[in-house]
Amino acid sequence: MSIQSLRERLNQVVTQAKHILAEKGDSVWEKEDQAKYDALIEEADRITAQIKAEQKVLDLEAEENFKDAKKQDPAAFKKNQARLAVEAFLRRSVREYSPEDIENIRATMSTTTDSQGGYTVPKLIADKVIESMKAYGAMRQVSDYIKTDGGNQMNWPTSDPNEEGEIVAENTAATASDPSFGTRAVNVFKFSSKIIAIPIELIQDSAVDIVDLVTRRCGTRIGRAQDHYFTTGTGTSQPMGVVSAVETGYTTAAGQATSFIYDDLVSLIESLDDRYLSGPNRPIFMMNQASRLLVRKMKDTAGRPLWTPSYEAGISAGLAGALCGYGVKINNFLEAPAAGKKPILFGCFNPGYLVRDAMEVQIFRFDDSAYMSKGQVGFLAWARAGGNIVDLSAIKCLMMGAASAG
């Protein structure tokens, strides 16, 4: 008999015993009544003992399966344990943790500030946050990338890309030429997701993937903030943005401050050394939607658009996949065309721009009265990241000329 059948039988026996008690009430019991009641209680005891024995066997089998799973696929086991630990942390407050929760969380998540409910999430979950950051960050999608275990200051080595050797005649000494090395700071800064309030109904609903919900929203917010500073950061108390560090490839004519022409794009392309144009990592254009709109409106002398989808792409692909033979990445943190602005970038962002992450993402949980009074739980993520152009020859910008004097 299965353990479920035993439980159903136990429920029936207990119900019958309760019925006898209710039926007899305060009246004197007959010998037959007592015997019937005693038989039901004895059967209930036997069934209870059998259920305990069956459960013990199931527990032992589960433990063996647990050990076998750990032995057979340690990586999958570790990932599952990490996810369970994070889910327990997100769904329950510290006072609700079971002993198993506590052991699992301590084994897979590093404590940051325990009194505030903060933990450093395991790499599996941190990677999900990074993927969300990439989805909402144009700079992360195309730039070079490193991750460091610490957040110490870092100077990235650079060298003169135009160094050249020489022909040396017989019996002639080679010319001395020390390489011109330099450095670019790639320091990290602390980014916050701001506190995200989630209704307790969603947290308590086991059908809701709470790990994905929290990590995706944290990654989205931090990703947008980081993309902002990777684009326009000044380098002072924030990352050095590509716009702040990039060198000018071409400047539009005076009086042409809010628009550009096809020739401007060609001149920008040719401002990049040919080794980047024909290298393994093809360069791309980067612009915001306002600039893309201007490009899409460019027409030849016959009034035909210069940028159209290819025949193979057709209607299904929407916008053209390439402009002048090169890809286009939209970054709405770039400037719109205006006098002295840099609305279009062109170059090899990998390896031209370097994004650096330091350590893992930290997530804090807030379930104090400020949130509980509204039926919510708060979550806050911290991430440390930085960025800088590490090859100034790899990326150039289109600079808009001065406005018309009139």
Side-chain angles (χ1 to χ4, degrees), residues 83-157:
R83 185 176 180 84
L84 290 176
V86 176
E87 183 166 351
F89 164 67
L90 297 178
R91 288 194 187 277
R92 296 190 285 279
S93 64
V94 175
R95 59 183 175 275
E96 297 174 316
Y97 289 166
S98 67
E100 292 78 11
D101 289 335
I102 295 173
E103 182 179 354
N104 201 14
I105 290 172
R106 287 178 176 172
T108 56
M109 301 173 68
S110 304
T111 305
T112 54
T113 308
D114 192 35
S115 62
Q116 296 296 320
Y119 286 86
T120 299
V121 299
K123 184 179 184 302
L124 169 71
I125 307 301
D127 288 346
K128 288 176 66 68
V129 179
I130 298 298
E131 286 304 310
S132 294
M133 291 181 192
K134 288 182 68 175
Y136 290 92
M139 291 296 295
R140 268 191 184 274
Q141 293 173 20
V142 299
S143 299
D144 197 4
Y145 173 80
I146 62 167
K147 183 174 182 179
T148 57
D149 292 332
N152 298 338
Q153 291 189 351
M154 175 181 289
N155 291 321
W156 195 261

Side-chain angles (χ1 to χ4, degrees), residues 33-49:
D33 297 327
Q34 186 66 54
K36 187 176 182 180
Y37 179 80
D38 290 344
L40 290 171
I41 294 303
E42 288 178 7
E43 185 179 1
D45 289 341
R46 287 196 304 272
I47 295 173
T48 300

Side-chain angles (χ1 to χ4, degrees), residues 149-181:
D149 292 332
N152 298 338
Q153 291 189 351
M154 175 181 289
N155 291 321
W156 195 261
T158 62
S159 61
D160 183 359
N162 296 313
E163 291 178 342
E164 185 178 347
E166 63 179 351
I167 293 177
V168 179
E170 291 185 19
N171 302 319
T172 303
T175 304
S177 178
D178 294 330
S180 301
F181 289 108

Side-chain angles (χ1 to χ4, degrees), residues 72-389:
Q72 293 173 8
D73 193 348
F77 173 82
K78 188 174 181 180
K79 285 184 178 180
N80 185 56
Q81 289 299 97
R83 185 176 180 84
L84 290 176
V86 176
E87 183 166 351
F89 164 67
L90 297 178
R91 288 194 187 277
R92 296 190 285 279
S93 64
V94 175
R95 59 183 175 275
E96 297 174 316
Y97 289 166
S98 67
E100 292 78 11
D101 289 335
I102 295 173
E103 182 179 354
N104 201 14
I105 290 172
R106 287 178 176 172
T108 56
M109 301 173 68
S110 304
T111 305
T112 54
T113 308
D114 192 35
S115 62
Q116 296 296 320
Y119 286 86
T120 299
V121 299
K123 184 179 184 302
L124 169 71
I125 307 301
D127 288 346
K128 288 176 66 68
V129 179
I130 298 298
E131 286 304 310
S132 294
M133 291 181 192
K134 288 182 68 175
Y136 290 92
M139 291 296 295
R140 268 191 184 274
Q141 293 173 20
V142 299
S143 299
D144 197 4
Y145 173 80
I146 62 167
K147 183 174 182 179
T148 57
D149 292 332
N152 298 338
Q153 291 189 351
M154 175 181 289
N155 291 321
W156 195 261
T158 62
S159 61
D160 183 359
N162 296 313
E163 291 178 342
E164 185 178 347
E166 63 179 351
I167 293 177
V168 179
E170 291 185 19
N171 302 319
T172 303
T175 304
S177 178
D178 294 330
S180 301
F181 289 108
T183 59
R184 303 284 293 179
V186 189
N187 300 324
V188 294
F189 304 87
K190 188 163 64 174
F191 288 85
S192 156
S193 66
K194 297 184 179 178
I195 297 178
I196 299 167
I198 297 179
I200 57 175
E201 290 83 1
L202 288 182
I203 294 172
Q204 294 171 344
D205 189 345
S206 60
V208 174
D209 188 342
I210 190 66
V211 176
D212 181 70
L213 176 64
V214 173
T215 55
R216 181 161 31 86
R217 293 190 66 180
C218 289
T220 298
R221 290 188 179 189
I222 294 176
R224 285 174 174 157
Q226 290 181 353
D227 203 45
H228 185 176
Y229 290 103
F230 293 158
T231 304
T232 63
T234 63
T236 302
S237 300
Q238 55 190 247
M240 176 62 79
V242 62
V243 170
S244 301
V246 70
E247 294 181 344
T248 300
Y250 182 74
T251 302
T252 65
Q256 188 188 324
T258 58
S259 64
F260 31 79
I261 59 176
Y262 177 76
D263 289 356
D264 297 332
L265 298 180
V266 173
S267 296
L268 175 60
I269 292 171
E270 292 302 328
S271 70
L272 213 63
D273 192 281
D274 187 65
R275 69 180 181 277
Y276 295 109
L277 297 178
S278 56
N281 294 326
R282 285 184 62 78
I284 62 168
F285 286 99
M286 182 176 285
M287 64 187 75
N288 68 11
Q289 285 181 263
S291 296
R292 182 175 68 181
L293 178 62
L294 292 176
V295 174
R296 292 185 68 193
K297 289 182 176 181
M298 287 181 178
K299 296 179 175 63
D300 62 17
T301 55
R304 294 171 297 192
L306 292 173
W307 189 23
T308 59
S310 66
Y311 176 80
E312 291 79 9
I315 296 174
S316 62
L319 297 177
L323 174 61
C324 300
Y326 298 98
V328 178
K329 175 63 65 175
I330 297 300
N331 181 348
N332 281 324
F333 290 113
L334 282 172
E335 303 162 310
K341 300 297 184 181
K342 307 170 184 177
I344 298 182
L345 306 177
F346 179 75
C348 297
F349 288 77
N350 182 3
Y353 192 91
L354 181 66
V355 170
R356 174 193 174 194
D357 285 324
M359 301 180 287
E360 299 295 359
V361 178
Q362 298 175 354
I363 294 183
F364 286 73
R365 187 183 197 276
F366 304 94
D367 57 0
D368 53 35
S369 59
Y371 291 93
M372 280 293 128
S373 62
K374 299 177 182 178
Q376 300 171 336
V377 174
F379 296 98
L380 171 66
W382 295 101
R384 301 179 68 187
N388 200 345
I389 287 186

